[in-house]
Amino acid sequence: MLYGAPTPQRRDAQRNRAAIVEAASELMTARPDSIPMPAIARRAGVGLATLYRHFPDRSALADAVVAHQLDRLERAVTGDFRHLLGEVLRTQVAMRPLVALVRRFDQGTRERYLRRVSAALAGPLRRAQAGGRVRPDLVPGDLMLLFTMVADVTDEHAERSIALLLDGVFTPDGALTPDGGGSTVAA
């Protein structure tokens, strides 16, 4: 073994860490307020000391939850882009406590997360544009504007706000003319 090289975690420690991250993810969508660390430990079925052994503070746990959510996004990038983007926006609205924590992270960490989201959505965006379902002038960076637009929307208006955003991104009939405009329909 090399000195200074990280040792692999035991299987039970890996299971505990995964359970903590999953519990934190679930609680961050179920409650609108900040989640107490003891509640996360209880939900994960571990002791508070185990939680803190893996995650010394709320920021470390939030970082792991964001990484977990991004892993899920990267695995889900197949299929209908409208559905995928809608789910990303709904997840952001549902996970307000996590979003609030991420806003307090240093700029470099936030930019790293945004690059990862942008990279995950770039391929499906290009495929949807090639199929004429998305406006041709939209670039992956514009998706970050959509995330900003729903960041503080109230639960009461979340679905309507997301629907309006999606309608602005996607073409009504899924077909664009060669000049990038919508298909012409005789009135």
Side-chain angles (χ1 to χ4, degrees):
M1 173 183 276
L2 297 174
Y3 290 104
T7 58
Q9 285 186 327
R10 296 182 334 233
R11 285 194 186 127
D12 62 330
Q14 291 171 357
R15 278 191 307 272
N16 287 343
R17 186 180 195 289
I20 293 166
V21 170
E22 190 60 40
S25 291
E26 290 170 7
L27 286 171
M28 287 181 178
T29 58
R31 295 178 52 170
D33 54 347
S34 180
I35 312 303
M37 297 294 262
I40 294 169
R42 275 192 305 277
R43 178 71 162 264
V46 301
L48 199 53
T50 299
L51 185 146
Y52 280 110
R53 190 169 25 262
H54 288 278
F55 305 103
D57 57 34
R58 186 174 299 281
S59 292
L61 179 57
D63 188 49
V65 171
V66 170
H68 173 71
Q69 292 297 324
L70 290 173
D71 289 344
R72 288 181 59 210
L73 171 63
E74 290 165 347
R75 287 189 305 269
V77 294
T78 59
D80 179 55
F81 184 59
R82 183 180 181 107
H83 176 75
L84 174 65
L85 183 57
E87 285 305 306
V88 169
L89 294 169
R90 284 182 196 88
T91 299
Q92 179 186 347
V93 169
M95 297 191 87
R96 289 178 202 276
L98 179 63
V99 171
L101 279 171
V102 170
R103 285 181 180 164
R104 293 194 299 250
F105 283 1
D106 64 274
Q107 185 169 345
T109 301
R110 288 192 317 268
E111 287 174 358
R112 179 172 43 95
Y113 292 150
L114 289 175
R115 279 192 305 272
R116 205 168 151 196
V117 170
S118 183
L121 296 176
L125 169 61
R126 282 191 297 275
R127 288 190 297 277
Q129 285 173 318
R133 295 181 307 277
V134 173
R135 35 183 311 157
D137 61 337
L138 193 74
V139 296
D142 293 337
L143 299 175
M144 302 312 118
L145 293 172
L146 300 179
F147 302 144
T148 302
M149 290 177 189
V150 299
D152 294 316
V153 70
T154 62
D155 289 340
E156 178 185 4
H157 297 107
E159 278 303 315
R160 177 74 175 145
S161 298
I162 291 169
L164 289 170
L165 287 173
L166 293 176
D167 286 347
V169 168
F170 293 87
T171 59
D173 58 4
L176 294 173
T177 61
D179 66 357
S183 60
T184 56
V185 177

